[in-house]
mmCIF file of all heavy atoms in Angstrom:
data_model
loop_
_atom_site.group_PDB
_atom_site.id
_atom_site.type_symbol
_atom_site.label_atom_id
_atom_site.label_comp_id
_atom_site.label_asym_id
_atom_site.label_seq_id
_atom_site.Cartn_x
_atom_site.Cartn_y
_atom_site.Cartn_z
ATOM 1 N N LYS A 26 15.369 10.229 11.407
ATOM 2 C CA LYS A 26 14.951 10.100 12.804
ATOM 3 C C LYS A 26 14.603 8.663 13.181
ATOM 4 O O LYS A 26 14.286 8.385 14.324
ATOM 5 C CB LYS A 26 13.739 11.005 13.081
ATOM 6 C CG LYS A 26 14.019 12.475 12.895
ATOM 7 C CD LYS A 26 14.890 12.979 14.008
ATOM 8 C CE LYS A 26 15.047 14.485 13.916
ATOM 9 N NZ LYS A 26 15.782 15.018 15.044
ATOM 10 N N LYS A 27 14.626 7.753 12.183
ATOM 11 C CA LYS A 27 14.353 6.326 12.400
ATOM 12 C C LYS A 27 12.977 6.087 13.024
ATOM 13 O O LYS A 27 12.789 5.208 13.868
ATOM 14 C CB LYS A 27 15.433 5.699 13.286
ATOM 15 C CG LYS A 27 16.842 5.962 12.832
ATOM 16 C CD LYS A 27 17.275 4.972 11.808
ATOM 17 C CE LYS A 27 18.772 5.078 11.559
ATOM 18 N NZ LYS A 27 19.124 5.533 10.258
ATOM 19 N N LYS A 28 11.991 6.868 12.601
ATOM 20 C CA LYS A 28 10.626 6.712 13.109
ATOM 21 C C LYS A 28 9.921 5.590 12.360
ATOM 22 O O LYS A 28 10.310 5.204 11.264
ATOM 23 C CB LYS A 28 9.843 8.017 12.957
ATOM 24 C CG LYS A 28 10.445 9.186 13.713
ATOM 25 C CD LYS A 28 10.387 8.975 15.197
ATOM 26 C CE LYS A 28 10.953 10.165 15.938
ATOM 27 N NZ LYS A 28 10.929 10.011 17.364
ATOM 28 N N ASP A 29 8.847 5.091 12.944
ATOM 29 C CA ASP A 29 8.104 3.963 12.385
ATOM 30 C C ASP A 29 7.163 4.458 11.281
ATOM 31 O O ASP A 29 5.978 4.685 11.496
ATOM 32 C CB ASP A 29 7.320 3.255 13.487
ATOM 33 C CG ASP A 29 6.760 1.911 13.042
ATOM 34 O OD1 ASP A 29 6.979 1.525 11.869
ATOM 35 O OD2 ASP A 29 6.090 1.257 13.859
ATOM 36 N N ILE A 30 7.746 4.644 10.105
ATOM 37 C CA ILE A 30 7.018 5.102 8.921
ATOM 38 C C ILE A 30 7.394 4.165 7.777
ATOM 39 O O ILE A 30 8.541 3.742 7.657
ATOM 40 C CB ILE A 30 7.365 6.563 8.575
ATOM 41 C CG1 ILE A 30 6.950 7.476 9.733
ATOM 42 C CG2 ILE A 30 6.700 6.988 7.265
ATOM 43 C CD1 ILE A 30 7.392 8.906 9.586
ATOM 44 N N GLN A 31 6.417 3.838 6.944
ATOM 45 C CA GLN A 31 6.632 2.922 5.831
ATOM 46 C C GLN A 31 6.202 3.581 4.528
ATOM 47 O O GLN A 31 5.319 4.431 4.534
ATOM 48 C CB GLN A 31 5.810 1.652 6.055
ATOM 49 C CG GLN A 31 6.083 0.994 7.370
ATOM 50 C CD GLN A 31 5.039 -0.041 7.725
ATOM 51 O OE1 GLN A 31 4.060 -0.244 7.012
ATOM 52 N NE2 GLN A 31 5.247 -0.707 8.846
ATOM 53 N N LEU A 32 6.836 3.166 3.439
ATOM 54 C CA LEU A 32 6.487 3.693 2.123
ATOM 55 C C LEU A 32 6.253 2.534 1.162
ATOM 56 O O LEU A 32 7.091 1.636 1.028
ATOM 57 C CB LEU A 32 7.602 4.594 1.590
ATOM 58 C CG LEU A 32 7.457 5.070 0.142
ATOM 59 C CD1 LEU A 32 6.185 5.889 -0.050
ATOM 60 C CD2 LEU A 32 8.688 5.859 -0.284
ATOM 61 N N PHE A 33 5.097 2.576 0.504
ATOM 62 C CA PHE A 33 4.744 1.640 -0.566
ATOM 63 C C PHE A 33 4.547 2.494 -1.805
ATOM 64 O O PHE A 33 3.730 3.418 -1.791
ATOM 65 C CB PHE A 33 3.460 0.888 -0.212
ATOM 66 C CG PHE A 33 3.565 0.125 1.064
ATOM 67 C CD1 PHE A 33 3.275 0.735 2.283
ATOM 68 C CD2 PHE A 33 3.975 -1.193 1.066
ATOM 69 C CE1 PHE A 33 3.389 0.039 3.472
ATOM 70 C CE2 PHE A 33 4.096 -1.902 2.256
ATOM 71 C CZ PHE A 33 3.805 -1.282 3.458
ATOM 72 N N ALA A 34 5.282 2.199 -2.880
ATOM 73 C CA ALA A 34 5.220 3.062 -4.055
ATOM 74 C C ALA A 34 5.243 2.233 -5.331
ATOM 75 O O ALA A 34 5.804 1.143 -5.372
ATOM 76 C CB ALA A 34 6.403 4.038 -4.046
ATOM 77 N N SER A 35 4.620 2.793 -6.369
ATOM 78 C CA SER A 35 4.637 2.165 -7.685
ATOM 79 C C SER A 35 4.716 3.254 -8.745
ATOM 80 O O SER A 35 4.045 4.279 -8.646
ATOM 81 C CB SER A 35 3.373 1.331 -7.904
ATOM 82 O OG SER A 35 3.337 0.859 -9.236
ATOM 83 N N ASP A 36 5.525 2.997 -9.747
ATOM 84 C CA ASP A 36 5.628 3.896 -10.886
ATOM 85 C C ASP A 36 4.759 3.423 -12.042
ATOM 86 O O ASP A 36 4.830 3.942 -13.140
ATOM 87 C CB ASP A 36 7.079 4.031 -11.342
ATOM 88 C CG ASP A 36 7.711 2.691 -11.711
ATOM 89 O OD1 ASP A 36 7.003 1.656 -11.727
ATOM 90 O OD2 ASP A 36 8.924 2.671 -11.969
ATOM 91 N N GLY A 37 3.923 2.426 -11.790
ATOM 92 C CA GLY A 37 3.092 1.849 -12.837
ATOM 93 C C GLY A 37 3.747 0.636 -13.470
ATOM 94 O O GLY A 37 3.137 -0.062 -14.270
ATOM 95 N N ILE A 38 4.990 0.369 -13.096
ATOM 96 C CA ILE A 38 5.704 -0.791 -13.626
ATOM 97 C C ILE A 38 6.145 -1.708 -12.495
ATOM 98 O O ILE A 38 5.818 -2.870 -12.462
ATOM 99 C CB ILE A 38 6.920 -0.367 -14.472
ATOM 100 C CG1 ILE A 38 6.445 0.468 -15.655
ATOM 101 C CG2 ILE A 38 7.714 -1.584 -14.927
ATOM 102 C CD1 ILE A 38 7.540 1.161 -16.411
ATOM 103 N N GLU A 39 6.910 -1.153 -11.556
ATOM 104 C CA GLU A 39 7.365 -1.996 -10.455
ATOM 105 C C GLU A 39 7.145 -1.308 -9.114
ATOM 106 O O GLU A 39 7.042 -0.090 -9.042
ATOM 107 C CB GLU A 39 8.805 -2.437 -10.648
ATOM 108 C CG GLU A 39 9.864 -1.438 -10.298
ATOM 109 C CD GLU A 39 11.258 -2.034 -10.461
ATOM 110 O OE1 GLU A 39 11.737 -2.679 -9.514
ATOM 111 O OE2 GLU A 39 11.843 -1.842 -11.523
ATOM 112 N N PRO A 40 7.069 -2.115 -8.053
ATOM 113 C CA PRO A 40 6.800 -1.572 -6.725
ATOM 114 C C PRO A 40 8.094 -1.342 -5.938
ATOM 115 O O PRO A 40 9.130 -1.936 -6.238
ATOM 116 C CB PRO A 40 5.991 -2.676 -6.069
ATOM 117 C CG PRO A 40 6.616 -3.910 -6.632
ATOM 118 C CD PRO A 40 6.978 -3.570 -8.055
ATOM 119 N N TYR A 41 7.988 -0.497 -4.940
ATOM 120 C CA TYR A 41 9.071 -0.235 -4.000
ATOM 121 C C TYR A 41 8.465 -0.268 -2.605
ATOM 122 O O TYR A 41 7.419 0.326 -2.379
ATOM 123 C CB TYR A 41 9.696 1.141 -4.266
ATOM 124 C CG TYR A 41 10.198 1.280 -5.679
ATOM 125 C CD1 TYR A 41 9.356 1.730 -6.691
ATOM 126 C CD2 TYR A 41 11.496 0.913 -6.017
ATOM 127 C CE1 TYR A 41 9.802 1.832 -8.000
ATOM 128 C CE2 TYR A 41 11.947 1.011 -7.326
ATOM 129 C CZ TYR A 41 11.094 1.467 -8.313
ATOM 130 O OH TYR A 41 11.535 1.559 -9.594
ATOM 131 N N VAL A 42 9.130 -0.982 -1.701
ATOM 132 C CA VAL A 42 8.646 -1.074 -0.328
ATOM 133 C C VAL A 42 9.801 -0.729 0.607
ATOM 134 O O VAL A 42 10.873 -1.327 0.523
ATOM 135 C CB VAL A 42 8.121 -2.491 0.004
ATOM 136 C CG1 VAL A 42 7.729 -2.586 1.473
ATOM 137 C CG2 VAL A 42 6.943 -2.851 -0.886
ATOM 138 N N TYR A 43 9.557 0.259 1.466
ATOM 139 C CA TYR A 43 10.519 0.655 2.482
ATOM 140 C C TYR A 43 9.851 0.569 3.840
ATOM 141 O O TYR A 43 8.819 1.202 4.070
ATOM 142 C CB TYR A 43 10.999 2.096 2.259
ATOM 143 C CG TYR A 43 11.835 2.258 1.025
ATOM 144 C CD1 TYR A 43 11.249 2.487 -0.209
ATOM 145 C CD2 TYR A 43 13.226 2.177 1.081
ATOM 146 C CE1 TYR A 43 12.020 2.634 -1.355
ATOM 147 C CE2 TYR A 43 14.000 2.323 -0.057
ATOM 148 C CZ TYR A 43 13.390 2.551 -1.269
ATOM 149 O OH TYR A 43 14.152 2.695 -2.396
ATOM 150 N N LEU A 44 10.416 -0.234 4.723
ATOM 151 C CA LEU A 44 9.990 -0.264 6.117
ATOM 152 C C LEU A 44 11.100 0.438 6.877
ATOM 153 O O LEU A 44 12.195 -0.098 7.016
ATOM 154 C CB LEU A 44 9.795 -1.690 6.613
ATOM 155 C CG LEU A 44 8.788 -2.550 5.842
ATOM 156 C CD1 LEU A 44 8.642 -3.913 6.477
ATOM 157 C CD2 LEU A 44 7.441 -1.868 5.733
ATOM 158 N N GLY A 45 10.820 1.675 7.314
ATOM 159 C CA GLY A 45 11.897 2.509 7.816
ATOM 160 C C GLY A 45 12.812 2.804 6.643
ATOM 161 O O GLY A 45 12.348 3.005 5.524
ATOM 162 N N ASN A 46 14.114 2.809 6.868
ATOM 163 C CA ASN A 46 15.005 3.068 5.735
ATOM 164 C C ASN A 46 15.541 1.771 5.122
ATOM 165 O O ASN A 46 16.542 1.773 4.424
ATOM 166 C CB ASN A 46 16.146 4.003 6.137
ATOM 167 C CG ASN A 46 17.044 3.412 7.195
ATOM 168 O OD1 ASN A 46 16.756 2.354 7.737
ATOM 169 N ND2 ASN A 46 18.131 4.091 7.501
ATOM 170 N N THR A 47 14.845 0.662 5.355
ATOM 171 C CA THR A 47 15.212 -0.620 4.761
ATOM 172 C C THR A 47 14.327 -0.905 3.567
ATOM 173 O O THR A 47 13.105 -0.945 3.682
ATOM 174 C CB THR A 47 15.049 -1.766 5.796
ATOM 175 O OG1 THR A 47 15.865 -1.489 6.924
ATOM 176 C CG2 THR A 47 15.424 -3.101 5.178
ATOM 177 N N ARG A 48 14.952 -1.101 2.414
ATOM 178 C CA ARG A 48 14.190 -1.465 1.216
ATOM 179 C C ARG A 48 14.044 -2.978 1.169
ATOM 180 O O ARG A 48 15.032 -3.713 1.223
ATOM 181 C CB ARG A 48 14.887 -0.980 -0.048
ATOM 182 C CG ARG A 48 14.088 -1.348 -1.284
ATOM 183 C CD ARG A 48 14.668 -0.809 -2.545
ATOM 184 N NE ARG A 48 13.868 -1.284 -3.669
ATOM 185 C CZ ARG A 48 14.162 -1.100 -4.918
ATOM 186 N NH1 ARG A 48 15.253 -0.436 -5.236
ATOM 187 N NH2 ARG A 48 13.395 -1.563 -5.876
ATOM 188 N N LEU A 49 12.802 -3.440 1.086
ATOM 189 C CA LEU A 49 12.549 -4.873 0.977
ATOM 190 C C LEU A 49 12.790 -5.323 -0.457
ATOM 191 O O LEU A 49 12.453 -4.622 -1.408
ATOM 192 C CB LEU A 49 11.111 -5.202 1.371
ATOM 193 C CG LEU A 49 10.699 -4.917 2.812
ATOM 194 C CD1 LEU A 49 9.289 -5.428 3.051
ATOM 195 C CD2 LEU A 49 11.649 -5.525 3.807
#
Side-chain angles (χ1 to χ4, degrees):
K26 298 288 186 175
K27 309 275 191 246
K28 300 294 182 180
D29 192 0
I30 298 173
Q31 305 166 357
L32 172 61
F33 301 87
S35 173
D36 58 6
I38 299 169
E39 79 177 275
Y41 303 88
V42 175
Y43 292 86
L44 302 183
N46 63 353
T47 302
R48 181 176 177 186
L49 296 185

